[in-house]
Amino acid sequence: MSQEAKSIRQKKKKIVAIAVIAVIFVALVIGIVFTDPLYSNPEDISEVMNDAVLHGENKISLFGLEVNPSLISAIAVTILLLAFAAVVRIFFIPRFKRIPGKFQLFIETIVGMFDGLAKGNSPHRNGFLGAYIFAAGCYIFVGTVFELVGIPVVSTTGHSVSLPAPLADINAAIALGFLSYFVIMSGGIAGAGIRGVGRTLKDFSLPISMSFRLFGALLSGLLVTELVYYYLELSFVLPVIVGVLFTLMHALIQAYVLVMLTSLFYGEVSEPYHKKKKEHKHAKHTHNDANAVVQEV
Amino acid sequence: MPLNIDWQQILLHLFNFLILGIGLYLLLYKPVKKFMKKREDTYAEREEKTAAAVSDAEKTREEYEKKLAAADEEIAGLRKQAALDAENAGKAIVGEARADAEKIVADARAAAVKEHDRIVGKAGDDIRDIVGKIAEKVGTSNDVDAAYEEFLAAAEKGKKDGKD
């Protein structure tokens, strides 16, 4: 085939691609203009925002029990993660090779990362901590990204609600924050006995700060998304940045923060007690590290 | 409750997370960690084996080097000893040969002296016989010239006999 014929074909392809993009763009604009009057949200924006924070109105029925939509999200995320884990366990792990492929490398990297984080921050006791931060990290990340899917459910009042991130609900954030605190305390008891409990109780504000940090971070994302989606005109293009990029970013950041704080405090309180001054200094240093991270966050 | 905090839902979230945690631990975290640990152990074992093999090889090399050094020393000693032995043997052979040669020379000299004495003795006897015969002939014949001729013939004959 001659060069001329090739260049003509490429030009044709370009023209077709440009035409398709232009048609889609025009169709979107027409859609926006014509559908705007058709769409009317029965709720006021302030009501939507208020409900997103407090979940006072839109409840979902779970086997007859009225629960917040985030609990449904949490259950959905759990099912999703467990199904994924089961598939990996049944079909992939038995076929793991000594020299890993791409997927094996991905799984090993995630597990290795949490294991390394646990070992690095808590060298004395880290078996349980590694498993906990793995589950918490996966839950926060997948749960936060889950809001991108925006699965619609019908509330008990008959409104359509898109499932939010599980941790955008204060109850979920409190549950995870307090659970992390008790995990830290359990590490303290296992590593240093009564002294560990004392060390944990010293940071009594930790569960509250952990819970509200999570809640605040994820709620802010939810509110911005609600705000954007409330107005139909803002529902085009903008969600790519607001929805996807921001959500991905704070999913990563929040997962990292909770995991990091839990492992740092766990490492600090589970350190065995030594009478030597040097060791005491080291503990103090670790405590300072943990506090520095808290301040940074 | 303020902020719509609901203890029942907190507990439900906790329950949900516990199920997730246990499930993820059993299905993903534990088996993957186990696999990684097993692989790590395999590599550690291999490394250990390699290190042991290298150490063994090093030991064997050192042993062989020592053996080689000892063999070199032994060879040098043997060579030195052999040279010494050869020198001694050579000296002994030369000494023996010299003694043999001296003996041969002495024997030859003695034999020569003996032969000489024998020949001289025999020649004396022959001369005495010839002189006696001549004296007899000179006494019986007056012809001096004939006697002289006879003496010469007898001397010639004697010479021939001596040669034989």
Side-chain angles (χ1 to χ4, degrees):
Chain A
M1 195 184 284
S2 67
Q3 288 286 331
E4 207 173 313
K6 263 189 181 176
S7 69
I8 288 168
R9 270 187 70 181
Q10 279 179 346
K11 269 184 186 175
K12 271 185 183 175
K13 273 185 182 174
K14 263 186 189 174
I15 290 165
V16 169
I18 290 166
V20 168
I21 290 167
V23 167
I24 291 170
F25 186 73
V26 170
L28 278 174
V29 171
I30 291 168
I32 293 164
V33 173
F34 282 98
T35 55
D36 191 36
L38 298 175
Y39 180 74
S40 61
N41 197 325
E43 292 176 295
D44 187 45
I45 178 69
S46 59
E47 280 176 23
V48 172
M49 301 289 263
N50 190 40
D51 192 55
V53 179
L54 300 174
H55 302 287
E57 199 178 323
N58 288 321
K59 300 275 187 182
I60 313 288
S61 176
L62 178 73
F63 305 117
L65 194 71
E66 281 197 352
V67 295
N68 292 342
S70 63
L71 187 62
I72 305 295
S73 304
I75 293 167
V77 168
T78 299
I79 292 170
L80 201 75
L81 278 172
L82 288 183
F84 174 76
V87 168
V88 173
R89 178 70 189 90
I90 295 164
F91 297 109
F92 291 95
I93 292 177
R95 293 185 181 86
F96 269 13
K97 290 170 186 167
R98 196 172 289 163
I99 298 162
K102 279 178 189 170
F103 183 72
Q104 186 185 335
L105 197 65
F106 167 71
I107 298 288
E108 280 186 13
T109 305
I110 292 174
V111 172
M113 187 181 77
F114 285 108
D115 186 44
L117 208 64
K119 280 177 182 162
N121 289 314
S122 177
H124 306 287
R125 302 186 69 84
N126 48 47
F128 175 66
L129 176 67
Y132 176 75
I133 61 172
F134 174 72
C138 290
Y139 179 61
I140 296 169
F141 181 78
V142 177
T144 310
V145 173
F146 180 77
E147 79 176 351
L148 279 178
V149 185
I151 297 169
V153 286
V154 180
S155 69
T156 48
T157 54
H159 292 131
S160 170
V161 182
S162 81
L163 287 180
L167 293 161
D169 181 4
I170 185 83
N171 297 313
I174 286 173
L176 198 60
F178 273 81
L179 182 63
S180 298
Y181 185 69
F182 288 122
V183 165
I184 291 167
M185 191 182 271
S186 74
I189 294 167
I194 300 293
R195 204 175 290 270
V197 180
R199 283 176 192 165
T200 318
L201 289 175
K202 194 174 64 188
D203 299 308
F204 62 89
S205 62
L206 194 63
I208 299 162
S209 69
M210 270 181 159
S211 308
F212 281 80
R213 184 181 296 114
L214 258 181
F215 176 57
L218 294 163
L219 184 70
S220 62
L222 177 77
L223 289 181
V224 172
T225 315
E226 286 281 355
L227 195 64
V228 167
Y229 281 111
Y230 184 81
Y231 300 102
L232 191 68
E233 300 90 325
L234 296 177
S235 302
F236 300 90
V237 184
L238 200 59
V240 174
I241 301 161
V242 179
V244 180
L245 291 184
F246 286 5
T247 305
L248 278 175
M249 213 154 70
H250 79 234
L252 267 178
I253 293 168
Q254 289 315 313
Y256 179 73
V257 168
L258 185 113
V259 159
M260 197 67 184
L261 285 178
T262 307
S263 49
L264 268 175
F265 279 104
Y266 189 98
E268 183 199 327
V269 301
S270 66
E271 194 173 359
Y273 176 70
H274 295 299
K275 279 185 180 175
K276 285 178 187 175
K277 261 191 170 180
K278 259 189 177 178
E279 295 296 319
H280 187 67
K281 269 182 185 174
H282 177 67
K284 213 172 180 181
H285 178 68
T286 318
H287 182 73
N288 289 340
D289 282 353
N291 283 338
V293 172
V294 174
Q295 279 171 3
E296 273 176 32
V297 171
Chain B
M1 284 285 272
L3 286 169
N4 200 17
I5 294 171
D6 185 344
W7 289 110
Q8 190 187 36
Q9 292 204 40
I10 290 174
L11 292 176
L12 280 170
H13 274 289
L14 271 177
F15 181 65
N16 174 63
F17 183 75
L18 283 180
I19 291 172
L20 176 71
I22 293 167
L24 279 182
Y25 173 71
L26 292 176
L27 291 171
L28 211 59
Y29 189 75
K30 194 181 167 188
V32 172
K33 248 191 95 174
K34 194 179 163 189
F35 175 82
M36 286 162 76
K37 177 85 174 62
K38 198 178 162 189
R39 186 176 53 194
E40 204 180 307
D41 287 348
T42 310
Y43 281 121
E45 197 182 324
R46 274 189 191 181
E47 206 177 308
E48 220 170 78
K49 273 184 187 173
T50 312
V54 167
S55 166
D56 280 353
E58 193 69 24
K59 270 182 193 172
T60 314
R61 194 178 66 85
E62 274 173 18
E63 248 172 54
Y64 276 110
E65 271 180 5
K66 272 181 192 172
K67 276 183 185 174
L68 276 174
D72 281 347
E73 264 179 36
E74 202 179 328
I75 288 167
L78 286 173
R79 198 174 280 169
K80 206 174 171 184
Q81 187 61 41
L84 206 68
D85 287 351
E87 199 182 324
N88 288 341
K91 273 180 186 172
I93 289 165
V94 168
E96 217 170 274
R98 193 167 285 162
D100 283 352
E102 276 172 6
K103 196 189 166 197
I104 289 165
V105 168
D107 286 352
R109 198 167 283 164
V113 169
K114 204 177 171 184
E115 186 65 18
H116 173 262
D117 289 348
R118 190 185 63 81
I119 291 167
V120 168
K122 198 184 173 188
D125 289 345
D126 287 347
I127 290 168
R128 208 172 293 126
D129 285 346
I130 292 165
V131 169
K133 279 178 184 174
I134 291 165
E136 272 178 20
K137 279 181 180 179
V138 170
T140 58
S141 161
N142 293 324
D143 193 354
V144 177
D145 289 330
Y148 182 68
E149 281 299 320
E150 267 182 39
F151 170 73
L152 283 178
E156 193 69 30
K157 197 186 169 190
K159 198 178 177 183
K160 270 181 189 173
D161 290 343
K163 266 182 190 175
D164 292 333

